[in-house]
Amino acid sequence: MKSSCLFIPFFGILLIIVFSCSDQPEVVVEEKVDRVEAERLLGQLLFHERRLSKDNTVSCAACHIAELAFTDGVPKSAGIEGRTAFRNSPTLFNMKDQSLFMFDGVIETLEIQALSPIQDHNEMGSSIAEILGKLKEDKVYKKQVHKAYGRDLDAQAITQSLAAFQRTLTSTDSRYDLYQKNPKQYPLNEEELAGKKLFMETFNCISCHAEPHFTNGKPESNGIQLTTEDWGRYRATGKAEDKGKFKVPSLRNIAITHPYMHDGRFTTLEEVLRFYAGKKEAHGSEVVRGYKITTGEQRQLIAFLNTLTDTSFLTK
Ligand code: HEC
Ligand code: HEC
């Protein structure tokens, strides 16, 4: 609503009562929107900035490619100087609803998370101090960080804007979501519905891959065979009960986020489901240890998993 000024005569004196005479509140709201957008843009710039890495070759986006739902299509991502990341690159959508990060699930905020790849020897091999040396006087960054935070680039501006950008990445428009909203208009076929029933009821996959994001966001063990170098969360906590636990990956956009598991050991969903149908290690949860999945059921599960692809997100 436009503001208005009222002029009211009172005891012969013309008193001017200024009632909501300025546009102040609207300006404040607009400024806030501008700042939020400026912060997002700063984060987006930094996300694609190769100078975050020691030798200026690797950006966050190198390992988290938008068209691949922010994964990178290889078992283990390429870091600086021909080195290889320790694990498979996970998706980065719907992060705003998560509270534990990394396969170990030991990092509690996106702001702190950003420091991990930046400082990791195999990934970016750099430091905040080194990055500030390169970017602080850069005209583009200077302008953008002043728009967002009204000050020069510093550690907090880097971590905060990267986190803000990632919180805007949401994927909630798959065929399955459309079906949920309006099953008549967007029906699933018989095979997909059979797969849904297996996923939700028969095999209780949903107990770990919980809706709405098809992850409960927690470290769990699906009984995967461990290699000597990676025992999952145990690596971070040293507790026996954490052996074999990895943060449950979201199954949204699963059709395109191959290869699968923390080390990218499986290339196809068929291989993943053959694993679930077969032998599990003792650290696996009771739920998965009881699985007997026929090849027909595997086909139905895959048909259902394919409905979780959000093409609008991938092309945004
Ligand atoms: C060399 C490849 C590589 C680069 C560069 C990289 N990442 Fe990652 N990212 C990974 C891998 C691998 C993991 C899983 C690490 C683990 O669990 O030990 C990961 C995990 C994450 C996670 C946790 C996701 C979750 O669901 O728990 C976030 C968030 C993230 N990266 C954001 C970033 C940001 C922001 C940058 C840039 C500052 C970045 N990544 C740079 C490979 C990379
Ligand atoms: C006890 C919890 C649990 C249950 C139950 C479970 N999963 Fe998982 N799932 C996980 C964990 C943990 C991972 C990641 C393991 C790793 O990275 O090594 C995973 C990984 C996956 C992946 C690969 C995801 C990726 O991006 O790499 C798929 C696909 C999958 N599960 C499907 C299923 C299906 C289908 C079922 C039911 C038949 C199921 N899961 C039941 C915990 C579970």
Side-chain angles (χ1 to χ4, degrees):
M1 201 177 73
K2 263 273 145 225
S3 55
S4 55
C5 302
L6 299 182
F7 299 87
I8 300 174
F10 186 60
F11 291 135
I13 306 164
L14 190 71
L15 261 194
I16 302 170
I17 300 176
V18 182
F19 176 70
S20 174
C21 198
S22 85
D23 279 337
Q24 202 57 29
E26 280 168 32
V27 171
V28 171
V29 170
E30 262 171 41
E31 247 171 35
K32 184 149 179 265
V33 171
D34 284 351
R35 275 182 182 249
V36 168
E37 178 57 8
E39 180 183 50
R40 188 191 71 78
L41 276 173
L42 176 62
Q44 186 170 10
L45 272 177
L46 287 167
F47 193 83
H48 293 88
E49 179 55 74
R50 292 183 189 179
R51 284 175 289 175
L52 293 197
S53 65
K54 186 171 199 67
D55 61 2
N56 306 325
T57 57
V58 176
S59 65
C60 309
C63 301
H64 299 287
I65 304 168
E67 296 78 18
L68 298 180
F70 292 90
T71 62
D72 64 358
V74 293
K76 292 186 181 178
S77 320
I80 57 163
E81 295 169 358
R83 293 180 205 137
T84 311
F86 184 58
R87 287 174 175 152
N88 181 249
S89 164
T91 59
L92 294 187
F93 49 78
N94 303 331
M95 288 291 118
K96 71 171 175 21
D97 298 331
Q98 309 233 352
S99 52
L100 293 177
F101 302 96
M102 312 300 255
F103 277 108
D104 302 316
V106 283
I107 297 184
E108 292 178 6
T109 68
L110 277 176
E111 283 78 0
I112 298 288
Q113 192 285 329
L115 298 175
S116 171
I118 287 173
Q119 295 176 157
D120 188 288
H121 177 71
N122 289 349
E123 296 187 1
M124 299 174 122
S126 187
S127 67
I128 289 285
E130 205 171 83
I131 292 169
L132 288 176
K134 292 185 217 170
L135 302 185
K136 202 166 179 173
E137 296 308 320
D138 182 296
K139 281 200 193 86
V140 175
Y141 281 101
K142 207 164 193 130
K143 197 171 150 206
Q144 198 59 38
V145 73
H146 273 267
K147 264 196 204 163
Y149 302 122
R151 59 171 199 267
D152 278 357
L153 198 65
D154 56 21
Q156 201 188 346
I158 292 174
T159 55
Q160 202 173 320
S161 64
L162 275 170
F165 165 65
Q166 292 175 84
R167 288 194 185 99
T168 65
L169 307 172
T170 53
S171 176
T172 52
D173 290 317
S174 64
R175 260 190 65 219
Y176 176 69
D177 295 300
L178 293 176
Y179 161 80
Q180 289 275 80
K181 275 175 217 152
N182 191 341
K184 281 231 168 67
Q185 200 179 344
Y186 305 102
L188 297 186
N189 68 31
E190 242 170 67
E191 192 161 53
E192 291 160 349
L193 286 172
K196 173 174 179 278
K197 188 154 192 274
L198 294 171
F199 190 88
M200 307 279 178
E201 295 167 31
T202 320
F203 298 121
N204 200 10
C205 310
I206 202 80
S207 65
C208 292
H209 297 285
E211 293 197 79
H213 297 316
F214 292 86
T215 168
N216 60 8
K218 294 187 195 143
E220 305 272 3
S221 171
N222 67 351
I224 199 158
Q225 196 173 14
L226 301 177
T227 55
T228 42
E229 77 261 25
D230 197 351
W231 285 10
R233 186 170 162 86
Y234 174 86
R235 193 172 151 257
T237 66
K239 290 188 191 155
E241 76 222 40
D242 286 337
K243 189 177 162 191
K245 284 192 182 165
F246 295 90
K247 179 182 160 186
V248 176
S250 168
L251 298 186
R252 286 182 173 274
N253 299 306
I254 192 71
I256 50 150
T257 61
H258 49 81
Y260 304 110
M261 304 298 173
H262 64 277
D263 53 4
R265 70 178 65 182
F266 300 130
T267 314
T268 62
L269 285 174
E270 281 80 2
E271 282 174 64
V272 171
L273 291 183
R274 273 203 295 275
F275 151 73
Y276 273 114
K279 185 179 174 301
K280 307 310 170 311
E281 297 296 306
H283 54 78
S285 122
E286 298 271 334
V287 185
V288 294
R289 269 188 279 156
Y291 285 162
K292 287 194 177 55
I293 312 177
T294 67
T295 44
E297 289 169 334
Q298 289 179 38
R299 216 178 33 245
Q300 293 169 336
L301 278 168
I302 290 175
F304 171 67
L305 291 174
N306 284 336
T307 69
L308 300 178
T309 307
D310 175 358
T311 39
S312 72
F313 172 72
L314 301 170
T315 52
K316 231 185 319 212

mmCIF file of all heavy atoms in Angstrom, residues 103 199 203-205 207-209 220-222 224 246 248-249 251 254 257 260-262 269 272-273 276 285 287-288 291 293 301 305, ligand 2:
data_model
loop_
_atom_site.group_PDB
_atom_site.id
_atom_site.type_symbol
_atom_site.label_atom_id
_atom_site.label_comp_id
_atom_site.label_asym_id
_atom_site.label_seq_id
_atom_site.Cartn_x
_atom_site.Cartn_y
_atom_site.Cartn_z
ATOM 1 N N PHE A 103 29.779 -37.842 4.848
ATOM 2 C CA PHE A 103 29.396 -39.236 5.066
ATOM 3 C C PHE A 103 29.565 -39.637 6.531
ATOM 4 O O PHE A 103 28.886 -40.534 7.019
ATOM 5 C CB PHE A 103 30.218 -40.166 4.165
ATOM 6 C CG PHE A 103 29.649 -40.281 2.775
ATOM 7 C CD1 PHE A 103 30.290 -39.693 1.697
ATOM 8 C CD2 PHE A 103 28.472 -40.981 2.548
ATOM 9 C CE1 PHE A 103 29.775 -39.807 0.414
ATOM 10 C CE2 PHE A 103 27.946 -41.097 1.265
ATOM 11 C CZ PHE A 103 28.601 -40.508 0.200
ATOM 12 N N PHE A 199 9.173 -50.337 -1.541
ATOM 13 C CA PHE A 199 10.060 -49.360 -0.908
ATOM 14 C C PHE A 199 9.517 -48.895 0.449
ATOM 15 O O PHE A 199 10.240 -48.823 1.445
ATOM 16 C CB PHE A 199 10.221 -48.150 -1.842
ATOM 17 C CG PHE A 199 11.293 -47.188 -1.417
ATOM 18 C CD1 PHE A 199 12.603 -47.357 -1.839
ATOM 19 C CD2 PHE A 199 11.003 -46.114 -0.570
ATOM 20 C CE1 PHE A 199 13.606 -46.478 -1.437
ATOM 21 C CE2 PHE A 199 11.991 -45.236 -0.167
ATOM 22 C CZ PHE A 199 13.292 -45.414 -0.594
ATOM 23 N N PHE A 203 9.987 -53.647 2.190
ATOM 24 C CA PHE A 203 11.403 -53.610 2.564
ATOM 25 C C PHE A 203 11.750 -52.461 3.501
ATOM 26 O O PHE A 203 12.890 -52.324 3.924
ATOM 27 C CB PHE A 203 12.280 -53.569 1.308
ATOM 28 C CG PHE A 203 12.123 -54.780 0.444
ATOM 29 C CD1 PHE A 203 11.715 -54.670 -0.871
ATOM 30 C CD2 PHE A 203 12.351 -56.039 0.976
ATOM 31 C CE1 PHE A 203 11.557 -55.798 -1.664
ATOM 32 C CE2 PHE A 203 12.185 -57.179 0.188
ATOM 33 C CZ PHE A 203 11.787 -57.053 -1.136
ATOM 34 N N ASN A 204 10.782 -51.619 3.770
ATOM 35 C CA ASN A 204 10.986 -50.523 4.722
ATOM 36 C C ASN A 204 12.256 -49.714 4.413
ATOM 37 O O ASN A 204 12.971 -49.288 5.331
ATOM 38 C CB ASN A 204 11.036 -51.094 6.148
ATOM 39 C CG ASN A 204 10.762 -50.039 7.202
ATOM 40 O OD1 ASN A 204 10.359 -48.917 6.870
ATOM 41 N ND2 ASN A 204 11.002 -50.374 8.451
ATOM 42 N N CYS A 205 12.539 -49.523 3.140
ATOM 43 C CA CYS A 205 13.686 -48.683 2.733
ATOM 44 C C CYS A 205 13.505 -47.290 3.336
ATOM 45 O O CYS A 205 14.474 -46.607 3.677
ATOM 46 C CB CYS A 205 13.758 -48.547 1.217
ATOM 47 S SG CYS A 205 13.667 -50.097 0.288
ATOM 48 N N SER A 207 12.644 -46.394 6.150
ATOM 49 C CA SER A 207 13.101 -46.176 7.528
ATOM 50 C C SER A 207 14.420 -45.404 7.543
ATOM 51 O O SER A 207 14.703 -44.671 8.487
ATOM 52 C CB SER A 207 13.219 -47.495 8.288
ATOM 53 O OG SER A 207 14.227 -48.295 7.720
ATOM 54 N N CYS A 208 15.236 -45.565 6.523
ATOM 55 C CA CYS A 208 16.469 -44.764 6.410
ATOM 56 C C CYS A 208 16.335 -43.697 5.323
ATOM 57 O O CYS A 208 16.742 -42.557 5.515
ATOM 58 C CB CYS A 208 17.656 -45.658 6.075
ATOM 59 S SG CYS A 208 18.115 -46.773 7.413
ATOM 60 N N HIS A 209 15.782 -44.078 4.190
ATOM 61 C CA HIS A 209 15.609 -43.117 3.082
ATOM 62 C C HIS A 209 14.243 -42.457 3.251
ATOM 63 O O HIS A 209 13.312 -42.681 2.478
ATOM 64 C CB HIS A 209 15.718 -43.840 1.740
ATOM 65 C CG HIS A 209 17.067 -44.461 1.519
ATOM 66 N ND1 HIS A 209 18.164 -43.705 1.196
ATOM 67 C CD2 HIS A 209 17.493 -45.746 1.588
ATOM 68 C CE1 HIS A 209 19.220 -44.517 1.055
ATOM 69 N NE2 HIS A 209 18.842 -45.751 1.301
ATOM 70 N N GLU A 220 23.907 -44.288 9.183
ATOM 71 C CA GLU A 220 23.317 -45.615 9.386
ATOM 72 C C GLU A 220 24.212 -46.617 8.671
ATOM 73 O O GLU A 220 25.003 -46.236 7.814
ATOM 74 C CB GLU A 220 21.930 -45.707 8.724
ATOM 75 C CG GLU A 220 20.922 -44.657 9.146
ATOM 76 C CD GLU A 220 20.119 -45.061 10.368
ATOM 77 O OE1 GLU A 220 20.384 -46.157 10.930
ATOM 78 O OE2 GLU A 220 19.242 -44.276 10.767
ATOM 79 N N SER A 221 24.035 -47.895 8.992
ATOM 80 C CA SER A 221 24.776 -48.896 8.231
ATOM 81 C C SER A 221 23.832 -49.749 7.397
ATOM 82 O O SER A 221 22.894 -50.344 7.917
ATOM 83 C CB SER A 221 25.575 -49.817 9.147
ATOM 84 O OG SER A 221 26.078 -50.878 8.348
ATOM 85 N N ASN A 222 24.089 -49.800 6.094
ATOM 86 C CA ASN A 222 23.297 -50.680 5.220
ATOM 87 C C ASN A 222 24.042 -51.987 4.969
ATOM 88 O O ASN A 222 23.723 -52.711 4.040
ATOM 89 C CB ASN A 222 22.927 -49.974 3.903
ATOM 90 C CG ASN A 222 24.132 -49.691 3.030
ATOM 91 O OD1 ASN A 222 25.274 -49.867 3.456
ATOM 92 N ND2 ASN A 222 23.891 -49.253 1.813
ATOM 93 N N ILE A 224 27.169 -52.564 4.098
ATOM 94 C CA ILE A 224 28.103 -52.587 2.978
ATOM 95 C C ILE A 224 29.461 -53.133 3.428
ATOM 96 O O ILE A 224 29.879 -52.909 4.566
ATOM 97 C CB ILE A 224 28.234 -51.175 2.364
ATOM 98 C CG1 ILE A 224 28.816 -51.266 0.958
ATOM 99 C CG2 ILE A 224 29.054 -50.241 3.251
ATOM 100 C CD1 ILE A 224 28.500 -50.076 0.101
ATOM 101 N N PHE A 246 27.364 -44.658 7.462
ATOM 102 C CA PHE A 246 27.554 -43.514 6.560
ATOM 103 C C PHE A 246 26.262 -42.719 6.560
ATOM 104 O O PHE A 246 25.179 -43.302 6.693
ATOM 105 C CB PHE A 246 27.844 -44.007 5.130
ATOM 106 C CG PHE A 246 29.141 -44.762 5.004
ATOM 107 C CD1 PHE A 246 29.184 -46.141 5.176
ATOM 108 C CD2 PHE A 246 30.325 -44.091 4.733
ATOM 109 C CE1 PHE A 246 30.383 -46.846 5.071
ATOM 110 C CE2 PHE A 246 31.529 -44.784 4.623
ATOM 111 C CZ PHE A 246 31.556 -46.159 4.795
ATOM 112 N N VAL A 248 23.042 -41.341 5.396
ATOM 113 C CA VAL A 248 22.156 -41.891 4.369
ATOM 114 C C VAL A 248 22.018 -40.894 3.211
ATOM 115 O O VAL A 248 21.620 -39.755 3.428
ATOM 116 C CB VAL A 248 20.755 -42.194 4.967
ATOM 117 C CG1 VAL A 248 19.802 -42.681 3.884
ATOM 118 C CG2 VAL A 248 20.865 -43.210 6.104
ATOM 119 N N PRO A 249 22.361 -41.303 1.987
ATOM 120 C CA PRO A 249 22.226 -40.372 0.857
ATOM 121 C C PRO A 249 20.758 -40.184 0.473
ATOM 122 O O PRO A 249 19.969 -41.112 0.596
ATOM 123 C CB PRO A 249 22.976 -41.069 -0.286
ATOM 124 C CG PRO A 249 23.550 -42.324 0.268
ATOM 125 C CD PRO A 249 22.893 -42.609 1.573
ATOM 126 N N LEU A 251 17.718 -40.111 -2.010
ATOM 127 C CA LEU A 251 17.514 -40.871 -3.255
ATOM 128 C C LEU A 251 16.811 -40.032 -4.317
ATOM 129 O O LEU A 251 16.482 -40.529 -5.391
ATOM 130 C CB LEU A 251 16.741 -42.158 -2.977
ATOM 131 C CG LEU A 251 17.425 -43.155 -2.029
ATOM 132 C CD1 LEU A 251 16.627 -44.455 -1.951
ATOM 133 C CD2 LEU A 251 18.859 -43.446 -2.441
ATOM 134 N N ILE A 254 18.200 -39.961 -8.032
ATOM 135 C CA ILE A 254 19.138 -41.089 -7.946
ATOM 136 C C ILE A 254 19.495 -41.646 -9.332
ATOM 137 O O ILE A 254 20.603 -42.161 -9.527
ATOM 138 C CB ILE A 254 18.569 -42.200 -7.010
ATOM 139 C CG1 ILE A 254 19.619 -43.235 -6.659
ATOM 140 C CG2 ILE A 254 17.327 -42.868 -7.580
ATOM 141 C CD1 ILE A 254 20.692 -42.742 -5.740
ATOM 142 N N THR A 257 22.669 -39.736 -10.331
ATOM 143 C CA THR A 257 23.792 -39.440 -9.417
ATOM 144 C C THR A 257 24.773 -40.614 -9.266
ATOM 145 O O THR A 257 25.496 -40.713 -8.284
ATOM 146 C CB THR A 257 23.294 -38.998 -8.026
ATOM 147 O OG1 THR A 257 22.531 -40.060 -7.454
ATOM 148 C CG2 THR A 257 22.446 -37.747 -8.102
ATOM 149 N N TYR A 260 27.414 -45.062 -7.263
ATOM 150 C CA TYR A 260 26.771 -45.039 -5.953
ATOM 151 C C TYR A 260 27.655 -45.507 -4.798
ATOM 152 O O TYR A 260 28.639 -46.187 -5.005
ATOM 153 C CB TYR A 260 25.506 -45.918 -6.011
ATOM 154 C CG TYR A 260 24.562 -45.480 -7.114
ATOM 155 C CD1 TYR A 260 24.362 -46.265 -8.244
ATOM 156 C CD2 TYR A 260 23.891 -44.257 -7.043
ATOM 157 C CE1 TYR A 260 23.501 -45.861 -9.262
ATOM 158 C CE2 TYR A 260 23.038 -43.847 -8.054
ATOM 159 C CZ TYR A 260 22.849 -44.650 -9.159
ATOM 160 O OH TYR A 260 22.014 -44.248 -10.165
ATOM 161 N N MET A 261 27.227 -45.144 -3.608
ATOM 162 C CA MET A 261 27.860 -45.440 -2.311
ATOM 163 C C MET A 261 29.060 -44.519 -2.070
ATOM 164 O O MET A 261 29.492 -43.819 -2.968
ATOM 165 C CB MET A 261 28.277 -46.914 -2.181
ATOM 166 C CG MET A 261 27.137 -47.887 -2.403
ATOM 167 S SD MET A 261 25.827 -47.679 -1.169
ATOM 168 C CE MET A 261 24.573 -48.780 -1.826
ATOM 169 N N HIS A 262 29.563 -44.542 -0.823
ATOM 170 C CA HIS A 262 30.577 -43.572 -0.393
ATOM 171 C C HIS A 262 31.839 -43.596 -1.247
ATOM 172 O O HIS A 262 32.581 -42.619 -1.287
ATOM 173 C CB HIS A 262 30.945 -43.811 1.077
ATOM 174 C CG HIS A 262 31.599 -45.151 1.312
ATOM 175 N ND1 HIS A 262 30.881 -46.305 1.470
ATOM 176 C CD2 HIS A 262 32.901 -45.494 1.374
ATOM 177 C CE1 HIS A 262 31.715 -47.320 1.645
ATOM 178 N NE2 HIS A 262 32.962 -46.847 1.585
ATOM 179 N N LEU A 269 21.905 -48.833 -10.742
ATOM 180 C CA LEU A 269 20.943 -49.157 -9.677
ATOM 181 C C LEU A 269 20.730 -50.670 -9.592
ATOM 182 O O LEU A 269 20.461 -51.196 -8.509
ATOM 183 C CB LEU A 269 19.622 -48.435 -9.932
ATOM 184 C CG LEU A 269 19.644 -46.931 -9.633
ATOM 185 C CD1 LEU A 269 18.336 -46.276 -10.049
ATOM 186 C CD2 LEU A 269 19.921 -46.664 -8.151
ATOM 187 N N VAL A 272 23.289 -51.854 -7.247
ATOM 188 C CA VAL A 272 22.938 -51.485 -5.868
ATOM 189 C C VAL A 272 21.916 -52.471 -5.319
ATOM 190 O O VAL A 272 22.052 -52.984 -4.209
ATOM 191 C CB VAL A 272 22.368 -50.046 -5.798
ATOM 192 C CG1 VAL A 272 21.795 -49.760 -4.411
ATOM 193 C CG2 VAL A 272 23.431 -49.020 -6.154
ATOM 194 N N LEU A 273 20.902 -52.776 -6.135
ATOM 195 C CA LEU A 273 19.841 -53.646 -5.628
ATOM 196 C C LEU A 273 20.293 -55.101 -5.526
ATOM 197 O O LEU A 273 19.815 -55.835 -4.652
ATOM 198 C CB LEU A 273 18.576 -53.496 -6.467
ATOM 199 C CG LEU A 273 17.926 -52.119 -6.269
ATOM 200 C CD1 LEU A 273 16.639 -52.015 -7.058
ATOM 201 C CD2 LEU A 273 17.641 -51.823 -4.795
ATOM 202 N N TYR A 276 21.746 -55.098 -2.171
ATOM 203 C CA TYR A 276 20.728 -55.167 -1.109
ATOM 204 C C TYR A 276 20.083 -56.559 -1.025
ATOM 205 O O TYR A 276 19.681 -57.008 0.044
ATOM 206 C CB TYR A 276 19.639 -54.098 -1.316
ATOM 207 C CG TYR A 276 19.993 -52.762 -0.680
ATOM 208 C CD1 TYR A 276 20.218 -51.623 -1.460
ATOM 209 C CD2 TYR A 276 20.105 -52.638 0.699
ATOM 210 C CE1 TYR A 276 20.550 -50.400 -0.876
ATOM 211 C CE2 TYR A 276 20.433 -51.428 1.293
ATOM 212 C CZ TYR A 276 20.654 -50.318 0.506
ATOM 213 O OH TYR A 276 20.970 -49.119 1.089
ATOM 214 N N SER A 285 22.253 -52.750 9.657
ATOM 215 C CA SER A 285 21.056 -52.700 10.502
ATOM 216 C C SER A 285 20.205 -53.964 10.265
ATOM 217 O O SER A 285 20.272 -54.587 9.209
ATOM 218 C CB SER A 285 20.255 -51.438 10.178
ATOM 219 O OG SER A 285 18.952 -51.758 9.784
ATOM 220 N N VAL A 287 17.205 -54.215 9.620
ATOM 221 C CA VAL A 287 16.269 -54.052 8.496
ATOM 222 C C VAL A 287 16.874 -54.620 7.208
ATOM 223 O O VAL A 287 16.260 -55.444 6.536
ATOM 224 C CB VAL A 287 15.921 -52.561 8.277
ATOM 225 C CG1 VAL A 287 14.860 -52.405 7.189
ATOM 226 C CG2 VAL A 287 15.451 -51.914 9.561
ATOM 227 N N VAL A 288 18.097 -54.205 6.876
ATOM 228 C CA VAL A 288 18.677 -54.647 5.597
ATOM 229 C C VAL A 288 19.169 -56.093 5.639
ATOM 230 O O VAL A 288 19.231 -56.764 4.614
ATOM 231 C CB VAL A 288 19.858 -53.748 5.143
ATOM 232 C CG1 VAL A 288 19.375 -52.360 4.819
ATOM 233 C CG2 VAL A 288 20.964 -53.704 6.175
ATOM 234 N N TYR A 291 16.809 -58.764 4.110
ATOM 235 C CA TYR A 291 16.305 -58.631 2.739
ATOM 236 C C TYR A 291 16.461 -59.890 1.881
ATOM 237 O O TYR A 291 17.540 -60.474 1.806
ATOM 238 C CB TYR A 291 17.042 -57.494 2.012
ATOM 239 C CG TYR A 291 16.618 -56.102 2.418
ATOM 240 C CD1 TYR A 291 17.434 -55.009 2.131
ATOM 241 C CD2 TYR A 291 15.415 -55.872 3.067
ATOM 242 C CE1 TYR A 291 17.062 -53.728 2.482
ATOM 243 C CE2 TYR A 291 15.043 -54.597 3.428
ATOM 244 C CZ TYR A 291 15.875 -53.526 3.140
ATOM 245 O OH TYR A 291 15.514 -52.263 3.482
ATOM 246 N N ILE A 293 15.344 -60.078 -2.028
ATOM 247 C CA ILE A 293 14.682 -59.304 -3.088
ATOM 248 C C ILE A 293 14.815 -60.057 -4.410
ATOM 249 O O ILE A 293 15.934 -60.354 -4.843
ATOM 250 C CB ILE A 293 15.319 -57.898 -3.231
ATOM 251 C CG1 ILE A 293 15.469 -57.222 -1.850
ATOM 252 C CG2 ILE A 293 14.504 -57.021 -4.161
ATOM 253 C CD1 ILE A 293 16.152 -55.850 -1.875
ATOM 254 N N LEU A 301 11.400 -51.814 -7.976
ATOM 255 C CA LEU A 301 12.030 -50.779 -7.134
ATOM 256 C C LEU A 301 12.717 -49.721 -8.007
ATOM 257 O O LEU A 301 12.603 -48.522 -7.748
ATOM 258 C CB LEU A 301 13.058 -51.425 -6.192
ATOM 259 C CG LEU A 301 12.495 -52.058 -4.918
ATOM 260 C CD1 LEU A 301 13.556 -52.912 -4.232
ATOM 261 C CD2 LEU A 301 11.984 -50.980 -3.954
ATOM 262 N N LEU A 305 12.206 -45.761 -8.149
ATOM 263 C CA LEU A 305 13.318 -44.819 -7.902
ATOM 264 C C LEU A 305 13.457 -43.821 -9.056
ATOM 265 O O LEU A 305 13.796 -42.651 -8.851
ATOM 266 C CB LEU A 305 14.635 -45.577 -7.691
ATOM 267 C CG LEU A 305 14.732 -46.391 -6.393
ATOM 268 C CD1 LEU A 305 16.011 -47.222 -6.359
ATOM 269 C CD2 LEU A 305 14.657 -45.477 -5.161
HETATM 270 C C1 HEC B 2 19.527 -49.086 7.610
HETATM 271 C C2 HEC B 2 19.361 -47.957 6.726
HETATM 272 C C3 HEC B 2 19.091 -48.229 5.260
HETATM 273 C C4 HEC B 2 18.065 -48.957 4.702
HETATM 274 C C5 HEC B 2 16.951 -49.700 5.414
HETATM 275 C C6 HEC B 2 18.228 -48.847 3.263
HETATM 276 N N1 HEC B 2 19.299 -48.056 2.976
HETATM 277 FE FE1 HEC B 2 19.917 -47.526 1.130
HETATM 278 N N2 HEC B 2 21.550 -46.641 1.928
HETATM 279 C C7 HEC B 2 21.828 -46.505 3.281
HETATM 280 C C8 HEC B 2 23.138 -45.960 3.465
HETATM 281 C C9 HEC B 2 23.816 -45.656 4.794
HETATM 282 C C10 HEC B 2 23.659 -45.744 2.184
HETATM 283 C C11 HEC B 2 25.069 -45.204 1.836
HETATM 284 C C12 HEC B 2 26.099 -46.299 2.060
HETATM 285 C C13 HEC B 2 27.467 -45.947 1.535
HETATM 286 O O1 HEC B 2 27.691 -44.837 1.093
HETATM 287 O O2 HEC B 2 28.343 -46.818 1.563
HETATM 288 C C14 HEC B 2 22.632 -46.179 1.241
HETATM 289 C C15 HEC B 2 22.749 -46.098 -0.135
HETATM 290 C C16 HEC B 2 21.728 -46.402 -1.023
HETATM 291 C C17 HEC B 2 21.763 -46.137 -2.451
HETATM 292 C C18 HEC B 2 22.913 -45.425 -3.177
HETATM 293 C C19 HEC B 2 22.776 -43.919 -2.980
HETATM 294 C C20 HEC B 2 23.928 -43.099 -3.494
HETATM 295 O O3 HEC B 2 23.702 -41.948 -3.873
HETATM 296 O O4 HEC B 2 25.065 -43.575 -3.491
HETATM 297 C C21 HEC B 2 20.585 -46.551 -2.971
HETATM 298 C C22 HEC B 2 20.141 -46.459 -4.419
HETATM 299 C C23 HEC B 2 19.815 -47.116 -1.886
HETATM 300 N N3 HEC B 2 20.542 -46.998 -0.720
HETATM 301 C C24 HEC B 2 18.552 -47.687 -2.019
HETATM 302 C C25 HEC B 2 17.924 -48.370 -0.996
HETATM 303 C C26 HEC B 2 16.763 -49.209 -1.180
HETATM 304 C C27 HEC B 2 16.039 -49.400 -2.495
HETATM 305 C C28 HEC B 2 16.464 -49.742 0.036
HETATM 306 C C29 HEC B 2 15.394 -50.740 0.356
HETATM 307 C C30 HEC B 2 15.399 -51.955 -0.432
HETATM 308 C C31 HEC B 2 17.422 -49.199 0.983
HETATM 309 N N4 HEC B 2 18.291 -48.405 0.326
HETATM 310 C C32 HEC B 2 17.407 -49.469 2.341
HETATM 311 C C33 HEC B 2 20.988 -46.880 4.316
HETATM 312 C C34 HEC B 2 19.857 -47.668 4.160
#
